[in-house]
Amino acid sequence: MLITHDTRCALDTVVDLVNTAPDDETTPDGLEDVAALGDFVRNHQMSDVGALSEFDLAAVRKVRGRFAEVFAAPDARSAVVVLNELVAAAGTTPRLTDHDGYDWHVHYFAPGASVADHLAADCGMALAFFVVAGEQERLRRCEAPDCRRAFVDLSRNRSRRYCDSRTCGNRLHVAAYRARRKEATG
C-alpha cells in the first residue's frame, strides 16, 4: 500500500489525537485545555488553523471520540459508518496544495475550516484509504495488558502487536523471560 507523505502525517496525527484521551478517571486528558490543543496543532504542523477557543477544544474532543470508535470497530462496515459521518460533517472540499516546502498533496478540509473539521476531513480520509484498500485491521490498539494506545500497523506482514516495541513489547518479553526462568529454576 502506497502511503503518501500527507497521508502519513494525517495517520500520525489521528493516532496521537486518539492517544490524548484519558484511559480512565485517574489519567489526565492530553487535551486538558485550549493551550494543550494549541500545542497539539503546532506539534503536528497543522496548516490553516486560526485562533483556538473552548468551542474548538470541545469539538476536537468529540472528533477524537469518533476516531477512537474507528480504531475499536470490529469490522470495516462499522468503521465506514463512523468515517462517512465524520467526513460528511466536516464538509470536505478536496484541493491540491504545495505549502511549507512539501510537493503537491491533497487537503480535504475547506479553507477556513475549524480545527475539528480539519482533523475530521484529513484524518478521516487517511483512515478511509486503509478501509478502501482492505487494510482496516491495521488500525489497532496495543495488546499490552496495561496499555490500549492506538497505532497503525505499517509492518510488511501486518504483525505488529504493540504501540512501541521498545516499551510495551520489550516489557512483556522481559516479563515472559523472567517467568520462564523462574519456572525453570523451580
Side-chain angles (χ1 to χ4, degrees):
M1 176 175 188
L2 174 67
I3 300 174
T4 61
H5 170 76
D6 52 316
T7 301
R8 180 59 192 255
C9 288
L11 290 172
D12 291 343
T13 299
V14 72
V15 164
D16 289 347
L17 178 64
V18 169
N19 289 334
T20 65
D23 294 329
D24 53 37
E25 293 78 34
T26 64
T27 56
D29 191 319
L31 294 177
E32 66 184 353
D33 54 25
V34 175
L37 178 58
D39 289 343
F40 183 88
V41 167
R42 278 186 296 285
N43 290 340
H44 290 88
Q45 299 175 340
M46 294 173 63
S47 60
D48 297 331
V49 175
L52 299 170
S53 68
E54 290 291 332
F55 177 81
D56 292 308
L57 179 61
V60 168
R61 285 177 175 165
K62 184 176 180 181
V63 166
R64 175 181 69 185
R66 298 305 314 268
F67 281 133
E69 292 176 40
V70 173
F71 278 86
D75 54 43
R77 187 163 304 282
S78 302
V80 165
V81 168
V82 176
L83 289 171
N84 280 340
E85 290 172 357
L86 275 166
V87 171
T92 57
T93 306
R95 62 188 168 99
L96 289 166
T97 184
D98 67 342
H99 62 87
D100 298 330
Y102 295 109
D103 206 358
W104 291 108
H105 59 281
V106 179
H107 280 189
Y108 294 94
F109 60 92
S114 71
V115 66
D117 285 347
H118 179 137
L119 288 164
D122 273 2
C123 296
M125 290 304 299
L127 294 177
F129 293 143
F130 274 76
V131 175
V132 167
E135 301 286 351
Q136 186 254 336
E137 74 275 358
R138 289 182 181 266
L139 309 177
R140 299 194 176 154
R141 291 290 190 157
C142 185
E143 291 183 18
D146 59 342
C147 180
R148 295 297 301 149
R149 293 178 59 84
F151 68 93
V152 178
D153 179 4
L154 297 177
S155 68
R156 190 175 301 202
N157 62 357
R158 299 173 186 88
S159 62
R160 188 170 160 199
R161 298 173 48 208
Y162 307 109
C163 65
D164 186 347
S165 60
R166 288 172 287 159
T167 54
C168 290
N170 192 43
R171 190 173 60 245
L172 287 174
H173 290 118
V174 168
Y177 170 77
R178 288 180 179 157
R180 287 191 305 272
R181 294 273 315 233
K182 184 177 181 179
E183 187 177 300
T185 59

